[in-house]
Amino acid sequence: MTETSTLPRSGAVGRFFRHHLPMSLVVAVLVVAVVFVAQDRWRRGAFVIGGAILLAAVLRLCVPTARVGLLAVRSRPFDVGTYAVLGGAIVTLAATISSLGVD
C-alpha cells in the first residue's frame, strides 16, 4: 500500500493566491486604506494608498516576472518606474495637504 499525504490538497483558490500573492498583499494594504478613509481619516488613508503603490513597485522589482502575477503590466522598468512615481506623488500630496485638525 502506498502512503497518502495527510496534507490537504490545494484547491483553485489556493493556487490563485499562491500565484498572485504579490497583488494580494497590495490589495490587503489597499483595504486598510479604505478602512481609514471610511473612518474619515482620509489623509492617513492617502498615505497608506501611496504606500501600497510603493509596495507594488518594490514587489515588481524583486519578484520574478513569472511569479509577480497581476502586478506585471508592461516591462519591469516601466512598471517599477510608474508605480514609484505614482506612489511617491500620492505620498507627497498627502504629506503637503493640511489636515485641518483631522489626521
Side-chain angles (χ1 to χ4, degrees), residues 13-82:
V13 174
R15 282 191 303 264
F16 177 83
F17 281 115
R18 269 197 315 276
H19 184 70
H20 298 292
L21 182 63
M23 185 64 183
S24 300
L25 291 173
V26 172
V27 169
V29 174
L30 286 174
V31 167
V32 171
V34 168
V35 169
F36 279 133
V37 171
Q39 295 176 347
D40 288 332
R41 302 288 187 195
W42 61 270
R43 187 172 182 217
R44 196 172 294 169
F47 273 116
V48 176
I49 289 171
I53 297 172
L54 290 173
L55 173 65
V58 169
L59 290 172
R60 181 65 174 111
L61 180 64
C62 298
V63 177
T65 302
R67 299 274 313 177
V68 78
L70 296 171
L71 291 178
V73 178
R74 303 253 182 207
S75 67
R76 182 178 294 199
F78 181 85
D79 288 344
V80 171
T82 304

